[in-house]
Amino acid sequence: MAAADELTHPAAEDLELAEVLAALGHPVRLEIVRMLASGGEASCGEVAPDLPRSSVTHHLKTLRESGVICRRAQGRKLYLALRRADLDLRFPGLLELVLACRSRPLDSESDEQPL
């Protein structure tokens, strides 16, 4: 198994839309992305402090392997950043669209009339 500082990230040209959308499709991962989009870097412990460590590790691995985030080590800490430039280069407007959308609760009122 590779050490934390040896992890590779997919190149921008290798990002696949299906993998990016799958990574962004989970509510926890979407919130992590929203948090990273509002600032620069965050440490792994800051992104989802209320979740078990194993769950956070799984979500961060999914985001990293899909190319949504990158991770860098500094001393004993790991820092995360959104790969905004790479995502915008590969899929123009996708990230802004995803970040602008807010999920609506299932029981919320809708403008649509029942059939």
Side-chain angles (χ1 to χ4, degrees):
M1 177 157 285
D5 57 347
E6 294 176 7
L7 290 176
T8 59
H9 300 86
E13 61 271 7
D14 294 334
L15 298 181
E16 295 290 333
L17 182 59
E19 291 180 20
V20 170
L21 291 175
L24 295 173
H26 191 281
V28 169
R29 293 192 289 265
L30 187 55
E31 283 306 311
I32 291 169
V33 169
R34 284 190 175 122
M35 174 188 282
L36 293 173
S38 67
E41 291 183 321
S43 70
C44 290
E46 295 174 328
V47 294
D50 298 334
L51 290 179
R53 189 173 179 177
S54 60
S55 294
V56 174
T57 299
H58 166 74
H59 290 305
L60 295 180
K61 178 182 177 186
T62 301
L63 288 168
R64 183 185 55 78
E65 288 180 347
S66 68
V68 175
I69 66 171
C70 61
R71 182 172 102 167
R72 71 171 183 86
Q74 182 175 343
R76 293 179 51 137
K77 285 196 169 190
L78 294 173
Y79 291 93
L80 309 167
L82 184 61
R83 292 181 62 183
R84 183 183 296 271
D86 290 339
L87 290 167
D88 287 343
L89 177 69
R90 185 76 169 108
F91 311 111
L94 174 67
L95 189 58
E96 289 306 315
L97 180 64
V98 169
L99 292 173
C101 292
R102 288 285 182 191
S103 58
R104 188 172 60 191
L106 294 176
D107 60 347
S108 70
E109 292 185 30
S110 170
D111 293 338
E112 298 175 15
Q113 296 296 322
L115 297 174

